[in-house]
C-alpha cells in the first residue's frame, strides 16, 4: 500500500520504512522559524538549562509582527531578540526591514521541497506551496528544538482536494480557499494534511498556491501541500535554491495507491467571488450575498495576500479611480522585495494617487498590534486570513475577508460590491 | 486525579477569546496572563475559577493562533483539564507540551455536561465523573503520557538532556 507525501516524509525523517496516520514519531526538522516571539522563547529555552542552540544553522528569526516597534515594551522585546541572535550566532536573522516571516523564508531560499519546516506561527503551512512539509508549532516546542533538535509529531491523515477546471478571470485563489473553508468548516481538516491538486492548481501562480496553503490552518489542518512542478523550481531557483539539494521526485509526490482519508472534488470554473463574514473564517458567503455592506477600512496585505500579483490587482482596479472618501485603504507589501517591485512597476504610485496608504512591510494591523485598528462599530474588509472578534485589535469592530480584487473594489465603492464588475 | 466544577462553552472557542492577541507581547508573567483569561468570552471566568476546575468545549477547541498563553493562562488559573469533542491541532500540542491534560468525549456526552456541574477526572483509569454520569476517554499515546507526566515538554526535555549527559 502506498503512502501520502506527508507519510513518506515523516517516515523518512523518523528513519522508518512506513508510518500510519495517528502514529507519533520523533523527527529532526531542517528549519525552525520564530519571529517577535523569539525573546519569549528564549526565556523558556533558558529554563531548560542549555546554553547554546544544538543546531544554530537551523534556527531562523524574523522581526515582523510589530515592525518597527510602536511602544517601549515592543522595542525592548526586539532588542532582546537581536541580542539573543548575536549571542547564539544565528545567521538567518531578518530584522524589521525585510518582511513577513513566511514570505521572507521563501524569498531568501530557505524553503526546499521535501524538507520539514516548523515555525512558532500558525501560518507556517504557507511554505507547503513549495512541496515542503511545513507546520506551526508552539513556543515551548521551539525552545525544545533549540535544545535538542528533535520533536514529536503525530502522523496526520490526508485530505486530498482536487480542483477541476480553471478559475474565471475575476475569481482568485483566495475565493477558492474561502469556498473550501466555508464548505468543510473551521474543523473540517482538523490535524489533517491537505493536498491540493488538479487543473486549477497546475495553472495557479506560486503566490496563489501560497494563499491556499496559508489558510489551511483556518480549517484546522497541520499542513497544506502542493507537489512541486516546473513553475515551483523556476521560482525557487530565482530565489537561490539549488535544485540538486532536494530529494528525488518519488519523495515529493503521494503514491498512486496512497490512502486519503477523504477526497474533495471542486469545480473551479463555476466558482464566484467569496467573502468570509464576521466573526469566524468559515462563515463564508458569495460576495453577492453581502453587496451593499458599508465599510470604513480596507486592508490589502499579510502573508495571505500581500504579494506582487495581489498588489497588481489592486493597482489595475484603481487606475484612474479614487478611494471612497469614507474609506481608509491600507496597503502593506508582504516583503520589502515585493515593495520594491511594486514601486518599480508603478503600482504603489497608482495606489497612493488613488488615495491609498502604503505602509512598510510587516504584519501591520492583521492581528491588531498596530497601524490600522478599526474604531468601535467600524467595518474593515481585509485580505488577511482571520476575522475573529477582536482580531484586528477591537472586539467592537467587524472584519470581512476577501480577495484583493473584492477588497479594492470595496475601497472604491465605500461598500462591498461585486468585484467581477469592477475589474 | 482532579476535581472541581465545570465551565462550559460552545464550538470553535478560539485563542483570541481565551487570551486576546493584543496582550501577547506585553503580558509575559503567567500570573498576569490569568487576569485576561477568557476576557472576551466570559467575564465571570476569572472571578470564579478555582484549582481543579475543568473547561468543557465543543468541536475545534482552541482554534486560531499558536499562542501558548491561551494554555498558560488557563493552567495558571487552576484549570485541571480541558474536555472537548475535538481540539485544534496546535492547541492540542500546546496543552500536552505544558502539561495540561486534554480529553476528548463524544458530542452526546458533552451535551450532558453543564456549567457548574461537579466534576472529577481520573487520568489513570481514563474516566470523567460529572454528577451521576460516568464517561470514559481513549488513553493518550505513551509518548504523550510521558510528556504529561514529566509536567510538560520543558521538564521532559530537561530530563532527557540530563539523562544524555
Ligand atoms: S501577516 Fe498576519 S497572519 Fe501573517 S504572520 Fe503576520 S500576523 Fe500572522
Amino acid at each position: 500500500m502506498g503512502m501520502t507525501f506527508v507519510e513518506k516524509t515523516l517516515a523518512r525523517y523518523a528513519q522508518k520504512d512506513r508510518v500510519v496516520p495517528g502514529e507519533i514519531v520523533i523527527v529532526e526538522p531542517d528549519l525552525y522559524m520564530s519571529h517577535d516571539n523569539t525573546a519569549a522563547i528564549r526565556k523558556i529555552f533558558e529554563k531548560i538549562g542549555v546554553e547554546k542552540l544544538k543546531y544554530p544553522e537551523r534556527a531562523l528569526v524574523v522581526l515582523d509582527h510589530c515592525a518597527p516597534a510602536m511602544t517601549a515594551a515592543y522595542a525592548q522585546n526586539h532588542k532582546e531578540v537581536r541580542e539573543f541572535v548575536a549571542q547564539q550566532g544565528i545567521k538567518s536573522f531578518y530584522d524589521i526591514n525585510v518582511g513577513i516571516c513566511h514570505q521572507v523564508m521563501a524569498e531568501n531560499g530557505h524553503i526546499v521541497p521535501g524538507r520539514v519546516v516548523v515555525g512558532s506561527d500558525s501560518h507556517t503551512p504557507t511554505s507547503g506551496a513549495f512541496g515542503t512539509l511545513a507546520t506551526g508549532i508552539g513556543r515551548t516546542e521551539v525552545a525544545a528544538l533549540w535544545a535538542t533538535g528533535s520533536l514529536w509529531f503525530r502522523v496526520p491523515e490526508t485530505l486530498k482536494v482536487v480542483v477541476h477546471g480553471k478559475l474565471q478571470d475575476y475569481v482568485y485563489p483566495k475565493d477558492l480557499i474561502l469556498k473550501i473553508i466555508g464548505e468543510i468548516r473551521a474543523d473540517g481538516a482538523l490535524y489533517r494534511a491537505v493536498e491540493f491538486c488538479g487543473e486549477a492548481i497546475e495553472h495557479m501562480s506560486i503566490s496563489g498556491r501560497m494563499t491556499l496553503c496559508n489558510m489551511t490552518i483556518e480549517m484546522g489542518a497541520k499542513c497544506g501541500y502542493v507537489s512541486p512542478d516546473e513553475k515551483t523550481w523556476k521560482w525557487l531557483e530565482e530565489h537561490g535554491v539549488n535544485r540538486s539539494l532536494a530529494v528525488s521526485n518519488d519523495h515529493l509526490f503521494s503514491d498512486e495507491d496512497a490512502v486519503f482519508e477523504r477526497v474533495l472534488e471542486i469545480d473551479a470554473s463555476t466558482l464566484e467571488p467569496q467573502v468570509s463574514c464576521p466573526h469566524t473564517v468559515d462563515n463564508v458567503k458569495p460576495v453577492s450575498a453581502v453587496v451593499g455592506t458599508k465599510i470604513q477600512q480596507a486592508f490589502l496585505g499579510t502573508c495571505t495576500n500581500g504579494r506582487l500579483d495581489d498588489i497588481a490587482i489592486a493597482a489595475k482596479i484603481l487606475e484612474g479611480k479614487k478611494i471612497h472618501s469614507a474609506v481608509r485603504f491600507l496597503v502593506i507589501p508582504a516583503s520589502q522585495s515585493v515593495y520594491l517591485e511594486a514601486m518599480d512597476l508603478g503600482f504603489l504610485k497608482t495606489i497612493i494617487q488613488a488615495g491609498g496608504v502604503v505602509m512598510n512591510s510587516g504584519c501591520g494591523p492583521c492581528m491588531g498590534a498596530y497601524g490600522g485598528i478599526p474604531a468601535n462599530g467600524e467595518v474593515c474588509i481585509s485580505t488577511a486570513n482571520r476575522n475573529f472578534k477582536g482580531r484586528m485589535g477591537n472586539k467592537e469592530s467587524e472584519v470581512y475577508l476577501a480577495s484583493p480584487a473584492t477588497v479594492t473594489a470595496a475601497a472604491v465603492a465605500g461598500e462591498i460590491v461585486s468585484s467581477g464588475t469592477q475589474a | 486525579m482532579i476535581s472541581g466544577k465545570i465551565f462550559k462553552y460552545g464550538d470553535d472557542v478560539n485563542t483570541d477569546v481565551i487570551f486576546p492577541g493584543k496582550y501577547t507581547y506585553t503580558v509575559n508573567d503567567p500570573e498576569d496572563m490569568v487576569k485576561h483569561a477568557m476576557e472576551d468570552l466570559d467575564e465571570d471566568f476569572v472571578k470564579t475559577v478555582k484549582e481543579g476546575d475543568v473547561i468543557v468545549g465543543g468541536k475545534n477547541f482552541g482554534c486560531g493562533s499558536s499562542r501558548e498563553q491561551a494554555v498558560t493562562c488557563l493552567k495558571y488559573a487552576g484549570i485541571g483539564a480541558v474536555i472537548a469533542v475535538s481540539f485544534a491541532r496546535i492547541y492540542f500540542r500546546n496543552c500536552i507540551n505544558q502539561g495540561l491534560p486534554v480529553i476528548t468525549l463524544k458530542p452526546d456526552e458533552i451535551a450532558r455536561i453543564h456549567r457548574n456541574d461537579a466534576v472529577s477526572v481520573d487520568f489513570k483509569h481514563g474516566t470523567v465523573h460529572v454528577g451521576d454520569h460516568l464517561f470514559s476517554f481513549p488513553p493518550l499515546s505513551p509518548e504523550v503520557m510521558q510528556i504529561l507526566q514529566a509536567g510538560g515538554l520543558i521538564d521532559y526535555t530537561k530530563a532527557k538532556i540530563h539523562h544524555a549527559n
Side-chain angles (χ1 to χ4, degrees):
Chain A
M1 197 170 59
M3 285 191 282
T4 65
F5 161 74
V6 174
E7 289 159 12
K8 282 182 184 181
T9 308
L10 288 176
R12 195 167 83 249
Y13 275 74
Q15 291 162 7
K16 293 185 162 196
D17 291 335
R18 61 179 303 114
V19 295
V20 291
E23 194 173 337
I24 304 268
V25 290
I26 308 287
V27 158
E28 290 206 346
D30 299 286
L31 189 68
Y32 355 116
M33 183 276 289
S34 55
H35 47 67
D36 298 42
N37 54 23
T38 304
I41 300 171
R42 169 195 188 168
K43 294 199 180 83
I44 308 171
F45 178 68
E46 282 164 357
K47 276 193 220 149
I48 301 176
V50 188
E51 284 194 356
K52 285 281 178 190
L53 265 59
K54 184 160 185 199
Y55 304 116
E57 69 282 7
R58 296 186 182 186
L60 182 144
V61 177
V62 186
L63 291 181
D64 59 355
H65 274 59
C66 186
M70 82 349 175
T71 63
Y74 280 104
Q76 178 62 26
N77 180 63
H78 283 179
K79 186 176 168 207
E80 285 169 22
V81 174
R82 293 186 188 104
E83 281 166 3
F84 180 71
V85 162
Q87 171 206 331
Q88 292 290 340
I90 296 173
K91 293 208 181 65
S92 303
F93 172 57
Y94 300 92
D95 212 316
I96 59 138
N97 59 343
V98 191
I100 304 172
C101 53
H102 312 299
Q103 185 69 16
V104 165
M105 283 199 288
E107 277 178 2
N108 290 278
H110 295 286
I111 303 301
V112 180
R115 300 239 174 122
V116 176
V117 173
V118 294
S120 54
D121 187 279
S122 52
H123 293 98
T124 305
T126 312
S127 296
F130 300 95
T132 305
L133 199 176
T135 187
I137 59 172
R139 297 176 179 192
T140 305
E141 295 177 298
V142 176
L145 274 173
W146 284 351
T148 66
S150 63
L151 190 62
W152 65 278
F153 284 95
R154 178 188 168 279
V155 180
E157 294 80 5
T158 300
L159 161 70
K160 181 168 163 174
V161 179
V162 192
V163 191
H164 302 288
K166 282 188 208 152
L167 292 171
Q168 302 180 71
D169 287 348
Y170 59 96
V171 182
Y172 299 90
K174 180 64 159 284
D175 298 309
L176 174 61
I177 191 66
L178 288 182
K179 176 75 185 170
I180 296 171
I181 295 168
E183 207 131 283
I184 75 171
R185 312 308 302 255
D187 60 347
L190 219 53
Y191 230 138
R192 306 289 188 266
V194 179
E195 179 168 329
F196 295 99
C197 58
E199 191 186 348
I201 308 298
E202 286 158 26
H203 280 94
M204 197 175 284
S205 67
I206 295 298
S207 170
R209 294 176 188 177
M210 288 172 85
T211 304
L212 295 187
C213 292
N214 175 275
M215 289 196 73
T216 52
I217 178 73
E218 309 312 332
M219 41 187 175
K222 178 194 186 97
C223 56
Y225 174 74
V226 179
S227 296
D229 57 12
E230 273 315 307
K231 213 184 285 182
T232 318
W233 287 113
K234 185 168 173 284
W235 195 99
L236 288 172
E237 281 174 339
E238 281 166 14
H239 292 87
V241 174
N242 183 345
R243 190 168 181 162
S244 65
L245 289 179
V247 286
S248 65
N249 252 355
D250 50 311
H251 295 295
L252 299 174
F253 291 83
S254 293
D255 292 324
E256 290 280 325
D257 56 346
V259 178
F260 295 97
E261 187 197 41
R262 185 176 164 196
V263 179
L264 190 68
E265 313 241 2
I266 293 184
D267 179 7
S269 61
T270 56
L271 187 68
E272 288 295 317
Q274 305 288 312
V275 58
S276 158
C277 303
H279 292 285
T280 55
V281 183
D282 62 359
N283 185 13
V284 177
K285 296 179 182 156
V287 169
S288 53
V290 291
V291 159
T293 307
K294 297 268 181 262
I295 59 148
Q296 288 75 40
Q297 181 168 292
F299 171 38
L300 191 151
T302 78
C303 53
T304 314
N305 278 123
R307 282 175 282 277
L308 192 65
D309 51 355
D310 302 316
I311 297 173
I313 293 165
K316 190 171 163 228
I317 294 174
L318 291 177
E319 200 74 59
K321 294 210 177 72
K322 286 280 178 218
I323 303 296
H324 192 278
S325 59
V327 176
R328 309 175 296 272
F329 183 49
L330 311 179
V331 176
I332 303 191
S335 70
Q336 295 278 78
S337 135
V338 168
Y339 197 122
L340 270 177
E341 280 184 87
M343 195 159 71
D344 285 347
L345 292 165
F347 298 155
L348 300 187
K349 190 174 175 190
T350 307
I351 290 167
I352 292 169
Q353 281 175 339
V357 177
V358 180
M359 295 154 73
N360 72 293
S361 299
C363 297
C366 176
M367 56 149 225
Y370 68 107
I373 294 165
N376 285 6
E378 285 193 336
V379 177
C380 177
I381 187 162
S382 158
T383 64
N385 44 41
R386 290 200 172 134
N387 60 351
F388 304 139
K389 207 170 192 172
R391 168 73 182 181
M392 290 190 77
N394 185 350
K395 61 178 177 174
E396 301 303 328
S397 66
E398 291 189 336
V399 181
Y400 287 81
L401 305 174
S403 76
T406 303
V407 167
T408 312
V412 172
E415 57 185 39
I416 299 178
V417 289
S418 166
S419 59
T421 57
Q422 283 278 338
Chain B
M1 182 95 180
I2 54 146
S3 53
K5 64 178 178 306
I6 295 283
F7 285 93
K8 175 105 189 256
Y9 305 106
D11 290 340
D12 302 315
V13 171
N14 70 67
T15 51
D16 279 318
V17 299
I18 304 175
F19 189 82
K22 60 188 171 201
Y23 303 123
T24 47
Y25 299 105
T26 46
V27 179
N28 288 315
D29 180 16
E31 302 296 340
D32 290 336
M33 288 176 199
V34 173
K35 294 180 202 152
H36 301 291
M38 299 305 218
E39 193 171 277
D40 287 348
L41 184 65
D42 177 4
E43 285 170 4
D44 292 332
F45 178 80
V46 214
K47 293 180 203 147
T48 56
V49 66
K50 294 222 165 55
E51 191 73 33
D53 285 352
V54 169
I55 286 183
V56 175
K59 287 187 302 171
N60 199 20
F61 191 94
C63 57
S65 93
S66 60
R67 75 184 64 124
E68 282 170 11
Q69 295 95 319
V71 175
T72 315
C73 71
L74 299 185
K75 194 180 168 188
Y76 278 79
I79 292 298
V82 184
I83 301 177
V85 175
S86 59
F87 289 89
R89 172 184 164 267
I90 297 181
Y91 197 81
F92 176 88
R93 294 188 68 93
N94 284 345
C95 284
I96 304 287
N97 290 335
Q98 298 205 49
L100 176 60
V102 277
I103 295 164
T104 49
L105 290 182
K106 296 186 192 74
D108 61 313
E109 295 172 329
I110 299 269
R112 280 183 272 160
I113 306 177
H114 306 283
R115 187 165 179 131
N116 287 328
D117 282 353
V119 58
S120 63
V121 183
D122 182 337
F123 298 107
K124 202 162 139 210
H125 297 98
T127 55
V128 181
H129 264 101
V130 183
D132 296 337
H133 304 300
L134 173 67
F135 308 117
S136 55
F137 55 89
L140 295 161
S141 73
E143 291 84 354
V144 167
M145 276 313 291
Q146 275 177 17
I147 297 172
L148 278 179
Q149 274 160 3
L153 185 65
I154 291 302
D155 290 314
Y156 169 80
T157 305
K158 268 190 201 166
K160 207 162 100 180
I161 287 171
H162 184 75
H163 189 75
N165 290 343

